[in-house]
Every structure is written in C-alpha cells, then in structure tokens.
Amino acid sequence: MTAAPRLRGAARREYRRLSRAADMPPPTHPLVTLTPGIPVAADDGAELLTDHWHAEGAGGQTLLIRTPYGRGGVAGVARFFAERGHHVVVQSCRGTFGSGGSFSPLHDEVADGQATLRWVRGQSWATDRVHSWGGSYFGVTQWAYCDGEERPDTMGIAISARRFDDAILYPGGGFSIDTPLTWAYALDMQERSLPRRIWALLRARWAIPRGTLATPPGEAVRVAAKADPQFFRDWVDHSDQGDPWWHPLRFASDVDTIPPVTLMAGWQDLFLVGQLADYAALKDADRPVRLIIGDWIHGDPETTVMGVREALAAFADTGKGADVRLEISGGAGWHEFEQWPVPTTTVFREFTADGQLALPEAERPAAALPYRYDPADPTPDAGGRTLNPFAAGRRDQRVREHRDDVLIFTGDPLPEDLVIIGEPGIDLTFASSNPRADLFIRLCEVDLKGRSRTITDVYQRLPAEAAPNESRRIRLSFAPIAHRFAAGSRLRVQVSSGAHPLHLRNPGTADPVRDHSRLIGSDQVVHVGGAAPAALTLPALDTSRAPAVHVPVAR
C-alpha cells in the first residue's frame, strides 16, 4: 500500500478533464492510497493483477473496472472516484499487462468476472454495493457478469453490446473488417516500448488500409502489423450468419439477470445499433434501464466525463431526468424524452431520374439508373461507424460522390430546420447481374457551402435468391439518428454497392470470407419513378414538444 503516484500522460489529462467538468462534486478525500498489482486468483489459478484505489475512512461505494488496456490507462478516473470517497478496483484482463494466462477476447470474461466479484465482496473494506463501470471492452466484461451467480448491483455501460458479433463484426450480413483489424493492430502494439508504439501509430494510417485489401482476408493483421492473432482468424472463419461458435460468447441472453443499467451510446459509434437493441430488450422485459446518446464517435473523451457524472449521481441516488436523454446533432443540443423510439411524424421524399430528392407527387416517369460495382476497385467508405480513428464519423463525401459507382440524389434547400429522430427508411427496386450483391445507402447533409457529410447509413448483403438482372423490391432502415438539418441545407442520398473497409468488399462469389481469392464485378440498376417509386421516409420531430435540457460538458 502506497500513496497514490503522480498521474502522467493520458491519465493526467483525463483527471484534469474530469476536474474541470461542470457539476462534478468536489473531492472529499484528497489523500488517496493505491495498493497496486494485487494477484486475484481466477478459477484456473491464473493471477489477475488488480489495483485498489481508496482513501482512509472512505465510506462510499465500490466501483469495479476490468480492462485489457492496462490499469494505468484508467488511473485518472480511478483517482477521481477515490477522491470522492469511493473504493475503486481496476483489474487487467487475463493475458494483459501482467495478468496470467492468455488473452482470448470474450472467452474468459464470465469465469474471470465471477472470480473477481467474489474476491471484491470478500474484502474487509468491501462496501454493501458494488457497481461496475466502463465502455467498449470494459462494457463487454460487464455484460459477462450477468451470466454468473455474482452480479454487480448496478452497471454503467458505454458504447458496448451484449452480442459482440452481430453488433460490430457482421452487421448486414457482411464483415466489418475495418473495426476488428484496427482493434487487433492496437492490441498488438499496446504493450510495446514507447518508441515502438509511436512508430506503430505513425504507420497505422497506411498499414491498416493495406491490411483490409489482403487476400485472403484472414491475412489482414499479418499484412498490417506482422502479427497473427488467433481471435482475428476465428472471427473471419466464423462469419456465417448464425454460426453456433458464437453462442457461448453472447452475454446476458436472459434479460432477467441484468441489474439496473445505464446505457451510453454515440450516434457515430460502431455499437449504436446493438446498444439500442439491448435497450429495447430491457424495456420489453420491464427492466430498469436509462439511455443516453451523444454526438460521439468511439473513444470520444466526453463519454468518460458523462459516464463518471452518471455514476456519481447513481452512487448518491441523485439521478434526475427522464429515462431517455439524447443529443440532437447539428447544434440542437440535449433533450429528454420518456421513451425510445420518440413519437414523430413521417416526411417523404422521392428519387427522380435526374438525381433529385423531391416531394411526392403524381406518378413520375419510370427510369433505370445503372452503375457498375468492381471489387478490384471497391467503393470507399468515406467515414461511418468504425473503430478506426482515421476514418470514423462524419467525413467529407467529395471523393466518394465523384465516383461512377455511387448514385447521388439531392433535395432542394430546406426552407426551415428539419429535425429527424429515429430510423429513416428507404424503399427501392434494385437489380444486379450478380444476385450476390450488396447495397450501401448513405444519408448526408449538404451545407450552405456545398460540403456533403455523412449523417447515417445502412448496409445489407442481399440474399442470393433472385435470378441475374431480376428486379426486387427492397426496404431498408438506416441506423438511428437525432439530427437537425439546418434551414438552407439539403438532404442527399447516396446509393452504392460498397463501403470498403467499413464493410469488407463483396467478392461477388459464394466464397466464404476466409477465401475471397476471386473477385467478380457486377452491373447494378436502381429503378425510380413509375408505379413503385424509390422513396426516402424520415421521422420528423416537433421540437416544441421536446424542451432542451442543460447537460454540462468539460471545459
């Protein structure tokens, strides 16, 4: 047991950000003690190294954090909680930062989490209530608690989901290679020396894109990082929808085992759709759950500030406000609602042969708009919900929209603000010379200067059940948004058959993801007008019924 060491680097910056955030309670126990590297025995004997942060006489709550990214990385958060009278337990997942065993993502989190919870509750300093906290993989370890006899009393889960595979690896039936490759690259470098980490970061901008084009895709990490983690090859090998290999790695399937939980999501975060599915399941089961969604990408530091503030409010039992709190992007601020989905009215736009998004009217002339998809020159993603920090979020669409394999439909300048909240939808008639086709559709905002940026999108690998060039009617729902399209801006929809590497290029064959040795292009057609027009549906909000709320941010 030693006095808490001076914080350095990222931990110090995190602590300062929290200290400067508005509406945080002041420290009550400034003399914090750290007991580092406590070996906690897992059921198989592996020693899981654990830090205990606390202050003399602390009588608050116990906060448990399990992480594969190093205990020092959350030292700023741990110290901040401890200075407010709480016990904080931070543990390195097995096989990481000195903990015994080998790190095999997802596989050991139930057993190791149970062993850790038993240890925490057995300590002389343990408080009556144990809370778990954290986002991303920290959240995965929390969902795993729900599959054992020991559970936290509450959970604070940010940017994570119960079904890891469906949420971020295979949405729409393809393989989102950018996210798992970025993660594997980051894990490979995280315990290297500082000079080697810096070099790996510098080369990541070109190494990761190069890896996404590897053939076969299972070689992607080796090409990008000269590493070959088994978990990545497993994810490539088990990418068929419904593969039973994933069943034991889907946590908290019985929603009745889930304690009260606060879910924090981001409109531009890769876990968004999965988290909203979790929220819906908990609400349907009448489980206590709160939902907070900000205008965040994965890893946004404001999610930590918000998560700490919410946890402290839960400890003090001073949580306020409605069950759903949403930030409406586009500058409309935070609003509270009683439910999700939010009640809205529907706005329609139709696609025209000359590339317009127009108000509905009597039957328009039918037209067939062709484009060709070539997997050897895959349509780029230009932003989106990915872990890759060089590509995530609302990116400029200029390059993508100048390609011949992307159809563009643009509306007139909006006469007034239009707030869309929920899942926009799209109906269209589509045909392909190769039934094994993908559809990737993106909704964008074109600002007053003509810059187009992504707002939301949807990806679907179509079932190979149609004949070549057979037209089929398709309805898709975009990922949810809450966004204000400002007066004078324009709506734009892109229609394409790819967004590589946000979604791994479609080879045009029945070959599994682990192969892709053949690349076959295809000719696509989108039909507009006629008796079955291509149409965009938008859930519009009357903002006068959704008063804004003040949500403090870090200075």
Side-chain angles (χ1 to χ4, degrees), residues 2-44:
T2 61
R6 179 176 297 178
L7 298 174
R8 299 181 182 278
R12 180 171 60 183
R13 291 191 294 274
E14 193 80 83
Y15 177 83
R16 288 178 173 174
R17 185 180 298 112
L18 292 168
S19 300
R20 294 169 181 170
D23 291 1
M24 288 290 194
T28 55
H29 295 69
L31 300 179
V32 172
T33 298
L34 169 64
T35 306
I38 305 168
V40 175
D43 291 344
D44 64 354

Side-chain angles (χ1 to χ4, degrees), residues 206-225:
W206 59 265
I208 291 175
R210 181 183 175 197
T212 67
L213 295 171
T215 302
E219 295 290 301
V221 184
R222 186 189 60 77
V223 170

